[in-house]
Coordinates of all heavy atoms in Angstrom, one line a residue:
M1 N 0.9 -1.1 0.1 CA 0.0 0.0 0.0 C 0.9 1.3 0.0 O 1.8 1.4 0.9 CB -0.9 -0.1 1.2 CG -2.0 1.0 1.2 SD -3.0 0.8 2.8 CE -4.5 0.1 2.0
D2 N 0.7 2.2 -1.0 CA 1.5 3.3 -1.0 C 0.8 4.5 -0.3 O -0.3 4.4 0.2 CB 1.8 3.8 -2.4 CG 0.6 4.1 -3.3 OD1 -0.6 3.9 -2.7 OD2 0.7 4.4 -4.4
D3 N 1.5 5.5 -0.1 CA 1.0 6.8 0.7 C -0.4 7.3 0.1 O -1.3 7.5 0.9 CB 2.0 7.9 0.8 CG 3.3 7.6 1.5 OD1 3.4 6.4 2.1 OD2 4.0 8.4 1.7
K4 N -0.4 7.3 -1.1 CA -1.7 7.8 -1.8 C -2.9 6.9 -1.4 O -3.9 7.4 -1.1 CB -1.5 7.9 -3.3 CG -2.8 8.5 -3.9 CD -2.5 8.7 -5.5 CE -3.7 9.3 -6.0 NZ -3.6 9.6 -7.4
S5 N -2.7 5.6 -1.5 CA -3.7 4.6 -1.2 C -4.1 4.7 0.2 O -5.3 4.7 0.6 CB -3.2 3.2 -1.4 OG -3.0 3.0 -2.8
I6 N -3.2 5.0 1.1 CA -3.4 5.2 2.6 C -4.3 6.3 2.8 O -5.3 6.3 3.5 CB -2.1 5.2 3.4 CG1 -1.3 3.8 3.2 CG2 -2.4 5.5 4.8 CD1 0.1 3.8 3.8
L7 N -3.8 7.5 2.1 CA -4.6 8.7 2.3 C -6.0 8.6 1.7 O -6.9 9.1 2.3 CB -3.8 9.8 1.6 CG -2.6 10.4 2.4 CD1 -1.8 11.3 1.5 CD2 -3.0 11.1 3.8
N8 N -6.2 7.9 0.8 CA -7.5 7.6 0.1 C -8.3 6.8 1.2 O -9.5 7.1 1.3 CB -7.4 6.9 -1.2 CG -7.0 7.8 -2.4 OD1 -7.2 9.1 -2.4 ND2 -6.4 7.3 -3.4
R9 N -7.7 5.8 1.8 CA -8.4 5.0 2.7 C -8.9 5.8 3.8 O -10.0 5.7 4.4 CB -7.5 3.8 3.2 CG -8.2 3.0 4.1 CD -9.3 2.1 3.5 NE -9.9 1.4 4.5 CZ -11.3 1.0 4.7 NH1 -12.1 1.6 3.8 NH2 -11.8 0.3 5.5
I10 N -7.9 6.6 4.4 CA -8.2 7.6 5.5 C -9.5 8.5 5.1 O -10.4 8.7 5.8 CB -7.0 8.4 5.9 CG1 -5.9 7.5 6.5 CG2 -7.4 9.7 6.8 CD1 -4.7 8.3 6.8
S11 N -9.5 9.0 3.8 CA -10.7 9.9 3.5 C -11.9 9.1 3.5 O -12.9 9.6 3.9 CB -10.2 10.4 2.1 OG -11.3 11.2 1.6
E12 N -11.9 7.8 3.0 CA -13.1 7.0 3.0 C -13.6 6.8 4.4 O -14.8 6.8 4.6 CB -12.8 5.7 2.3 CG -12.6 5.7 0.8 CD -12.0 4.6 0.2 OE1 -11.7 3.5 1.0 OE2 -11.7 4.5 -1.0
L13 N -12.6 6.4 5.3 CA -13.1 6.2 6.7 C -13.6 7.4 7.3 O -14.6 7.3 8.0 CB -11.8 5.6 7.4 CG -11.3 4.3 7.0 CD1 -10.0 3.9 7.7 CD2 -12.4 3.2 7.5
V14 N -13.0 8.5 7.2 CA -13.5 9.8 7.7 C -14.8 10.1 7.1 O -15.8 10.5 7.9 CB -12.5 11.0 7.4 CG1 -13.1 12.4 7.8 CG2 -11.1 10.7 8.2
D15 N -15.1 10.0 5.9 CA -16.4 10.2 5.2 C -17.4 9.3 5.9 O -18.6 9.9 6.3 CB -16.4 9.9 3.7 CG -15.7 11.0 3.0 OD1 -15.4 12.1 3.6 OD2 -15.3 10.7 1.8
E16 N -17.1 8.0 6.1 CA -18.1 7.1 6.7 C -18.3 7.4 8.2 O -19.5 7.5 8.7 CB -17.7 5.7 6.6 CG -18.7 4.8 7.2 CD -18.2 3.2 7.1 OE1 -17.1 2.9 6.4 OE2 -18.9 2.4 7.7
E17 N -17.3 7.9 8.9 CA -17.4 8.3 10.3 C -18.3 9.6 10.3 O -19.2 9.7 11.3 CB -16.1 8.6 10.9 CG -16.1 9.1 12.3 CD -14.8 9.5 12.8 OE1 -13.9 10.0 11.9 OE2 -14.5 9.5 14.0
H18 N -18.2 10.5 9.5 CA -19.0 11.7 9.6 C -20.5 11.4 9.3 O -21.4 11.9 9.9 CB -18.5 12.7 8.5 CG -17.3 13.5 8.9 ND1 -16.5 14.2 8.1 CD2 -16.6 13.4 10.0 CE1 -15.5 14.7 8.7 NE2 -15.5 14.2 10.0
R19 N -20.7 10.4 8.3 CA -22.1 10.0 8.0 C -22.7 9.4 9.2 O -23.9 9.6 9.5 CB -22.1 9.0 6.8 CG -22.0 9.7 5.5 CD -22.3 8.7 4.3 NE -21.5 7.6 4.3 CZ -20.3 7.5 3.7 NH1 -19.8 8.6 3.1 NH2 -19.5 6.4 3.7
L20 N -22.0 8.5 9.8 CA -22.4 7.8 11.1 C -22.8 8.7 12.2 O -23.8 8.6 12.9 CB -21.5 6.7 11.5 CG -21.6 5.4 10.8 CD1 -20.6 4.4 11.4 CD2 -23.0 4.7 11.1
R21 N -21.8 9.6 12.4 CA -22.1 10.7 13.4 C -23.2 11.6 13.2 O -24.0 11.9 14.0 CB -20.7 11.5 13.7 CG -19.8 10.8 14.4 CD -18.5 11.5 14.7 NE -17.4 10.7 15.2 CZ -17.2 10.2 16.4 NH1 -18.2 10.2 17.2 NH2 -16.1 9.5 16.6
S22 N -23.4 11.9 11.9 CA -24.5 12.8 11.6 C -25.8 12.1 11.8 O -26.8 12.6 12.2 CB -24.4 13.2 10.1 OG -25.5 13.9 9.7
T23 N -25.9 10.8 11.3 CA -27.0 10.0 11.5 C -27.4 9.8 13.0 O -28.5 9.9 13.4 CB -26.9 8.6 10.8 OG1 -26.6 8.7 9.6 CG2 -28.1 7.6 11.0
A24 N -26.4 9.6 13.8 CA -26.6 9.4 15.3 C -27.1 10.6 15.9 O -28.0 10.5 16.7 CB -25.2 9.0 15.9
Q25 N -26.6 11.8 15.4 CA -27.1 13.0 15.9 C -28.7 13.3 15.6 O -29.3 13.8 16.5 CB -26.3 14.2 15.4 CG -25.0 14.4 16.1 CD -24.2 15.5 15.5 OE1 -24.5 16.0 14.5 NE2 -23.1 15.9 16.3
T26 N -29.1 12.9 14.4 CA -30.4 13.1 14.1 C -31.4 12.1 14.8 O -32.6 12.4 15.0 CB -30.7 13.0 12.6 OG1 -30.3 11.7 12.2 CG2 -29.9 14.0 11.7
R27 N -30.9 11.0 15.2 CA -31.7 10.1 16.1 C -31.5 10.3 17.6 O -31.8 9.3 18.3 CB -31.3 8.7 15.6 CG -31.9 8.2 14.2 CD -31.8 6.8 14.1 NE -30.3 6.7 13.5 CZ -29.7 5.5 13.4 NH1 -30.2 4.5 13.8 NH2 -28.5 5.5 12.9
E28 N -30.8 11.3 17.9 CA -30.5 11.5 19.4 C -29.4 10.6 19.9 O -28.6 11.0 20.7 CB -31.7 11.4 20.2 CG -32.8 12.4 19.9 CD -32.4 13.8 20.2 OE1 -31.7 14.1 21.2 OE2 -32.7 14.6 19.4
S29 N -29.4 9.4 19.5 CA -28.2 8.4 19.8 C -28.2 7.4 18.8 O -29.2 7.0 18.3 CB -28.3 7.9 21.2 OG -29.5 7.0 21.4
G30 N -27.0 7.0 18.5 CA -26.9 6.0 17.5 C -27.2 4.5 18.2 O -27.4 4.4 19.3
T31 N -27.4 3.5 17.3 CA -27.7 2.2 17.7 C -26.5 1.6 18.2 O -25.3 2.1 18.0 CB -28.2 1.3 16.6 OG1 -27.3 1.3 15.5 CG2 -29.5 1.9 15.9
E32 N -26.5 0.5 18.8 CA -25.3 -0.3 19.2 C -24.4 -0.7 18.0 O -23.2 -0.6 18.1 CB -25.7 -1.5 20.1 CG -24.4 -2.1 20.7 CD -24.8 -3.2 21.7 OE1 -25.9 -3.2 22.2 OE2 -24.0 -4.0 21.9
D33 N -25.0 -0.9 17.0 CA -24.3 -1.3 15.7 C -23.6 -0.1 15.3 O -22.4 -0.2 14.9 CB -25.2 -1.8 14.6 CG -25.7 -3.2 14.9 OD1 -25.0 -4.0 15.7 OD2 -26.7 -3.6 14.3
D34 N -24.1 1.1 15.3 CA -23.4 2.4 14.9 C -22.3 2.6 15.9 O -21.3 3.0 15.3 CB -24.5 3.5 15.0 CG -25.6 3.5 14.0 OD1 -25.4 2.8 12.9 OD2 -26.6 4.2 14.1
R35 N -22.5 2.5 17.0 CA -21.3 2.7 18.1 C -20.2 1.7 17.8 O -19.0 2.0 17.9 CB -21.8 2.6 19.5 CG -22.7 3.8 19.8 CD -23.0 3.8 21.3 NE -23.9 2.7 21.7 CZ -25.2 2.7 21.6 NH1 -25.9 3.8 21.1 NH2 -25.8 1.7 22.2
D36 N -20.6 0.4 17.5 CA -19.5 -0.6 17.2 C -18.8 -0.3 16.0 O -17.6 -0.3 15.8 CB -20.1 -2.0 17.1 CG -20.7 -2.5 18.4 OD1 -20.3 -2.0 19.6 OD2 -21.4 -3.5 18.4
R37 N -19.6 0.3 14.9 CA -19.0 0.6 13.7 C -18.0 1.8 13.8 O -16.9 1.9 13.2 CB -19.9 0.9 12.7 CG -19.4 1.3 11.3 CD -18.5 0.2 10.7 NE -17.9 0.6 9.5 CZ -16.7 0.2 9.1 NH1 -16.0 -0.7 9.9 NH2 -16.1 0.7 8.0
L38 N -18.5 2.9 14.7 CA -17.7 3.9 14.9 C -16.3 3.6 15.6 O -15.3 4.2 15.3 CB -18.4 5.0 15.8 CG -19.4 5.9 15.1 CD1 -20.3 6.7 16.0 CD2 -18.5 6.9 14.2
R39 N -16.5 2.8 16.5 CA -15.2 2.2 17.3 C -14.3 1.6 16.3 O -13.0 1.8 16.3 CB -15.6 1.3 18.4 CG -14.6 1.1 19.4 CD -14.9 0.2 20.6 NE -16.2 -0.5 20.5 CZ -17.3 0.0 21.1 NH1 -17.3 1.2 21.7 NH2 -18.4 -0.8 20.9
A40 N -14.8 0.8 15.4 CA -14.0 0.1 14.4 C -13.3 1.1 13.4 O -12.2 0.9 13.0 CB -14.9 -1.0 13.6
L41 N -14.2 2.1 13.1 CA -13.6 3.2 12.1 C -12.5 3.9 12.9 O -11.5 4.3 12.2 CB -14.7 4.2 11.8 CG -15.7 3.6 10.7 CD1 -17.0 4.7 10.6 CD2 -15.1 3.6 9.3
E42 N -12.6 4.3 14.1 CA -11.6 4.9 14.8 C -10.4 4.1 14.9 O -9.3 4.6 14.7 CB -12.1 5.3 16.3 CG -13.2 6.5 16.2 CD -13.9 6.5 17.6 OE1 -13.7 5.8 18.5 OE2 -14.8 7.6 17.6
E43 N -10.4 2.8 15.1 CA -9.4 2.0 15.2 C -8.5 1.8 13.9 O -7.4 1.9 13.8 CB -9.7 0.6 15.7 CG -10.1 0.6 17.1 CD -10.8 -0.8 17.6 OE1 -11.2 -1.5 16.8 OE2 -11.0 -0.9 18.9
S44 N -9.4 1.8 12.8 CA -8.9 1.6 11.4 C -8.1 3.0 11.1 O -7.0 3.0 10.5 CB -10.0 1.3 10.4 OG -10.4 0.1 10.6
L45 N -8.7 4.0 11.5 CA -8.1 5.4 11.2 C -6.7 5.6 11.9 O -5.8 5.9 11.4 CB -9.0 6.5 11.6 CG -10.0 6.9 10.6 CD1 -11.1 7.8 11.3 CD2 -9.4 7.6 9.4
D46 N -6.8 5.1 13.2 CA -5.5 5.1 14.0 C -4.5 4.2 13.3 O -3.3 4.6 13.2 CB -5.7 4.5 15.5 CG -6.4 5.6 16.2 OD1 -6.6 6.8 15.8 OD2 -7.1 5.2 17.3
Q47 N -4.9 3.1 12.8 CA -4.0 2.2 12.2 C -3.3 2.8 10.8 O -2.1 2.7 10.6 CB -4.6 0.8 11.8 CG -4.7 -0.1 12.9 CD -5.4 -1.4 12.4 OE1 -6.5 -1.4 11.9 NE2 -4.8 -2.6 12.7
C48 N -4.2 3.4 10.1 CA -3.8 4.0 8.9 C -2.8 5.3 9.1 O -1.8 5.4 8.5 CB -5.0 4.6 8.1 SG -6.0 3.3 7.3
W49 N -3.1 6.1 10.1 CA -2.3 7.2 10.4 C -0.9 6.7 11.0 O 0.1 7.3 10.6 CB -3.1 8.1 11.4 CG -4.0 9.1 10.9 CD1 -5.3 9.0 11.2 CD2 -3.8 10.1 9.9 NE1 -5.9 10.0 10.4 CE2 -5.0 10.7 9.6 CE3 -2.6 10.5 9.2 CZ2 -5.2 11.7 8.7 CZ3 -2.8 11.6 8.4 CH2 -4.0 12.2 8.0
D50 N -0.9 5.7 11.6 CA 0.3 5.1 12.2 C 1.1 4.6 11.1 O 2.4 4.9 11.1 CB 0.0 4.0 13.2 CG 1.2 3.2 13.7 OD1 2.1 3.8 14.4 OD2 1.4 2.1 13.2
L51 N 0.5 3.9 10.2 CA 1.2 3.3 9.1 C 1.9 4.5 8.2 O 3.0 4.5 7.8 CB 0.4 2.5 8.2 CG 1.0 1.9 6.9 CD1 2.2 1.1 7.2 CD2 -0.1 1.1 6.2
L52 N 1.1 5.5 7.9 CA 1.6 6.6 7.1 C 2.7 7.3 7.8 O 3.7 7.7 7.1 CB 0.4 7.6 6.9 CG 0.6 8.8 6.0 CD1 1.0 8.3 4.5 CD2 -0.7 9.7 5.8
R53 N 2.6 7.6 9.1 CA 3.7 8.2 9.9 C 4.9 7.4 9.8 O 6.0 7.9 9.5 CB 3.2 8.5 11.3 CG 2.3 9.6 11.4 CD 2.1 9.8 13.0 NE 0.9 10.7 13.0 CZ -0.3 10.2 13.6 NH1 -0.4 8.9 13.8 NH2 -1.3 11.0 13.7
R54 N 4.8 6.2 10.0 CA 6.0 5.2 9.9 C 6.6 5.1 8.5 O 7.8 5.1 8.4 CB 5.7 3.8 10.5 CG 5.4 3.9 12.0 CD 5.3 2.5 12.7 NE 4.1 1.8 12.1 CZ 4.2 0.8 11.3 NH1 5.4 0.4 11.0 NH2 3.2 0.2 10.9
R55 N 5.8 5.1 7.5 CA 6.2 5.1 6.2 C 7.1 6.4 5.9 O 8.2 6.4 5.3 CB 5.2 5.1 5.2 CG 4.6 3.6 5.1 CD 3.4 3.5 4.2 NE 3.9 4.0 2.8 CZ 4.4 3.2 1.9 NH1 4.7 1.9 2.1 NH2 4.7 3.7 0.7
R56 N 6.6 7.6 6.3 CA 7.3 8.9 6.1 C 8.5 8.9 6.9 O 9.5 9.4 6.5 CB 6.3 10.1 6.5 CG 5.1 10.2 5.5 CD 4.1 11.2 6.0 NE 3.1 11.4 4.9 CZ 2.2 12.3 5.2 NH1 1.9 12.8 6.3 NH2 1.2 12.4 4.1
A57 N 8.4 8.3 8.1 CA 9.7 8.4 8.9 C 10.8 7.5 8.2 O 12.0 7.9 8.2 CB 9.5 7.9 10.3
A58 N 10.4 6.3 7.8 CA 11.3 5.4 7.0 C 11.9 6.1 5.9 O 13.2 6.1 5.6 CB 10.7 4.1 6.7
R59 N 11.1 6.8 5.1 CA 11.6 7.6 3.9 C 12.7 8.6 4.4 O 13.8 8.7 3.8 CB 10.5 8.2 3.2 CG 10.7 8.5 1.8 CD 9.5 9.0 1.0 NE 8.6 7.9 0.8 CZ 7.4 7.7 1.3 NH1 6.9 8.8 2.2 NH2 6.6 6.8 1.0
Q60 N 12.3 9.4 5.4 CA 13.2 10.4 5.9 C 14.6 9.8 6.4 O 15.6 10.4 6.2 CB 12.7 11.2 7.0 CG 11.7 12.3 6.6 CD 11.3 13.2 7.8 OE1 11.0 12.7 8.9 NE2 11.3 14.5 7.5
A61 N 14.6 8.7 7.0 CA 15.7 7.9 7.5 C 16.4 7.1 6.4 O 17.3 6.3 6.7 CB 15.3 7.1 8.7
H62 N 16.0 7.3 5.1 CA 16.5 6.6 4.0 C 16.3 5.1 4.1 O 17.1 4.3 3.6 CB 18.0 6.9 3.8 CG 18.2 8.3 3.7 ND1 17.9 9.1 2.6 CD2 18.9 9.2 4.5 CE1 18.3 10.4 2.7 NE2 18.9 10.5 4.0
G63 N 15.1 4.7 4.7 CA 14.8 3.3 4.9 C 13.9 2.9 3.8 O 13.4 3.8 2.9
D64 N 13.1 1.7 3.9 CA 12.3 1.3 2.9 C 10.9 1.5 3.5 O 10.5 0.7 4.4 CB 12.5 -0.2 2.6 CG 11.6 -0.7 1.6 OD1 10.8 0.1 0.9 OD2 11.6 -2.1 1.4
P65 N 10.1 2.5 3.0 CA 8.7 2.6 3.4 C 7.9 1.4 3.2 O 6.9 1.2 4.0 CB 8.1 3.8 2.8 CG 9.1 4.0 1.6 CD 10.4 3.4 1.9
D66 N 8.1 0.7 2.2 CA 7.3 -0.5 1.8 C 7.5 -1.7 2.8 O 6.8 -2.7 2.9 CB 7.6 -1.0 0.4 CG 7.1 -0.1 -0.6 OD1 6.1 0.7 -0.3 OD2 7.7 0.0 -1.7
A67 N 8.6 -1.5 3.7 CA 8.8 -2.6 4.6 C 8.1 -2.4 5.9 O 8.0 -3.2 6.7 CB 10.3 -2.5 5.1
Q68 N 7.3 -1.2 5.9 CA 6.4 -0.9 7.1 C 5.1 -1.6 6.9 O 4.5 -1.7 5.8 CB 6.2 0.5 7.2 CG 7.4 1.3 7.3 CD 8.3 0.9 8.5 OE1 7.8 0.7 9.7 NE2 9.6 0.7 8.2
G69 N 4.6 -2.3 7.9 CA 3.3 -3.1 7.8 C 2.3 -2.4 8.8 O 2.6 -1.6 9.7
T70 N 1.0 -2.8 8.7 CA 0.1 -2.3 9.7 C 0.2 -3.0 11.0 O 0.4 -4.2 11.0 CB -1.4 -2.6 9.1 OG1 -1.5 -2.1 7.8 CG2 -2.4 -2.0 10.1
R71 N 0.2 -2.2 12.1 CA 0.3 -2.7 13.4 C -1.0 -3.2 13.9 O -2.0 -2.5 13.4 CB 0.9 -1.7 14.4 CG 2.3 -1.4 14.0 CD 2.9 -0.4 15.0 NE 4.3 -0.1 14.7 CZ 5.0 0.8 15.2 NH1 4.4 1.5 16.3 NH2 6.2 1.1 14.9
A72 N -1.0 -4.1 14.7 CA -2.2 -4.5 15.4 C -3.0 -3.4 16.2 O -2.3 -2.5 16.7 CB -2.0 -5.7 16.3
V73 N -4.4 -3.4 16.2 CA -5.1 -2.4 16.9 C -4.7 -2.2 18.4 O -4.4 -1.1 18.9 CB -6.6 -2.8 16.8 CG1 -7.3 -1.9 17.8 CG2 -7.1 -2.7 15.4
P74 N -4.5 -3.3 19.2 CA -4.0 -3.1 20.5 C -2.7 -2.3 20.7 O -2.6 -1.4 21.6 CB -3.9 -4.4 21.2 CG -4.7 -5.3 20.3 CD -4.7 -4.7 18.9
E75 N -1.8 -2.6 19.8 CA -0.5 -1.8 19.8 C -0.7 -0.4 19.4 O -0.2 0.5 20.1 CB 0.4 -2.5 18.9 CG 1.9 -1.9 18.9 CD 2.8 -2.6 18.0 OE1 2.4 -3.6 17.3 OE2 4.0 -2.2 18.0
V76 N -1.5 -0.1 18.5 CA -1.8 1.4 18.1 C -2.5 2.1 19.1 O -2.2 3.3 19.4 CB -2.4 1.4 16.7 CG1 -2.7 2.8 16.3 CG2 -1.5 0.9 15.6
E77 N -3.6 1.5 19.7 CA -4.4 2.1 20.7 C -3.7 2.4 21.9 O -4.3 3.2 22.7 CB -5.7 1.2 20.9 CG -6.5 1.1 19.6 CD -7.1 2.4 19.3 OE1 -7.6 3.2 20.0 OE2 -6.9 2.8 18.1
R78 N -2.6 1.7 22.3 CA -1.9 2.0 23.5 C -1.1 3.3 23.4 O -0.6 3.8 24.5 CB -1.0 0.8 23.9 CG -1.7 -0.3 24.4 CD -0.8 -1.3 25.1 NE 0.3 -1.6 24.3 CZ 0.6 -2.7 23.5 NH1 -0.4 -3.5 23.5 NH2 1.7 -2.9 23.0
Y79 N -1.0 3.9 22.3 CA -0.2 5.2 22.1 C -0.8 6.3 22.9 O -2.0 6.4 22.9 CB 0.0 5.6 20.7 CG 0.7 4.6 19.8 CD1 0.5 4.6 18.5 CD2 1.8 3.8 20.3 CE1 1.3 3.8 17.6 CE2 2.6 3.1 19.5 CZ 2.3 3.0 18.2 OH 2.9 2.1 17.3
L80 N 0.0 7.1 23.5 CA -0.4 8.4 24.1 C -0.3 9.4 23.1 O 0.6 9.6 22.3 CB 0.5 8.7 25.4 CG 0.4 7.7 26.6 CD1 1.4 8.2 27.6 CD2 -1.0 7.5 27.1
Q81 N -1.3 10.3 23.1 CA -1.3 11.4 22.2 C -1.0 12.8 22.8 O -1.4 13.0 24.0 CB -2.6 11.4 21.4 CG -2.9 10.2 20.7 CD -3.9 10.3 19.6 OE1 -4.4 11.3 19.3 NE2 -4.4 9.1 19.2

């Protein structure tokens, strides 16, 4: 997956997240399925952003960005921001 593909995926996930949040607001609160999907979207977004950052860091360090893989959700979710 190249940087452009990752950015496109991020854009798709953000669009879906916005649609779900908008739908949840009009119904006062989302369904449990909506909340589960939002949580999954947030995790996927974190994974994509992590991968993009690591690819960019590898490129700056003259490494191979393609050697970077997606980290597991528990690993990415433990980061402090």
Side-chain angles (χ1 to χ4, degrees):
M1 190 178 257
D2 63 1
D3 290 3
K4 185 176 180 180
S5 297
I6 296 168
L7 287 168
N8 286 338
R9 181 68 181 141
I10 288 170
S11 180
E12 291 169 0
L13 292 169
V14 167
D15 288 345
E16 184 177 354
E17 180 184 28
H18 287 172
R19 281 192 302 275
L20 275 174
R21 288 189 189 283
S22 176
T23 300
Q25 284 180 343
T26 59
R27 285 189 275 167
E28 297 295 322
S29 68
T31 65
E32 187 172 338
D33 288 340
D34 290 345
R35 289 188 294 276
D36 290 344
R37 181 61 187 148
L38 277 171
R39 190 173 18 262
L41 286 168
E42 290 167 355
E43 291 169 348
S44 293
L45 278 165
D46 289 345
Q47 284 179 304
C48 287
W49 281 116
D50 173 69
L51 177 58
L52 187 61
R53 285 185 196 104
R54 288 185 303 107
R55 286 179 55 84
R56 289 174 174 171
R59 197 174 291 114
Q60 277 189 319
H62 305 290
D64 182 10
D66 293 328
Q68 305 302 313
T70 304
R71 293 183 182 177
V73 169
E75 185 175 355
V76 174
E77 291 300 305
R78 285 194 313 259
Y79 292 154
L80 297 177
Q81 297 193 19

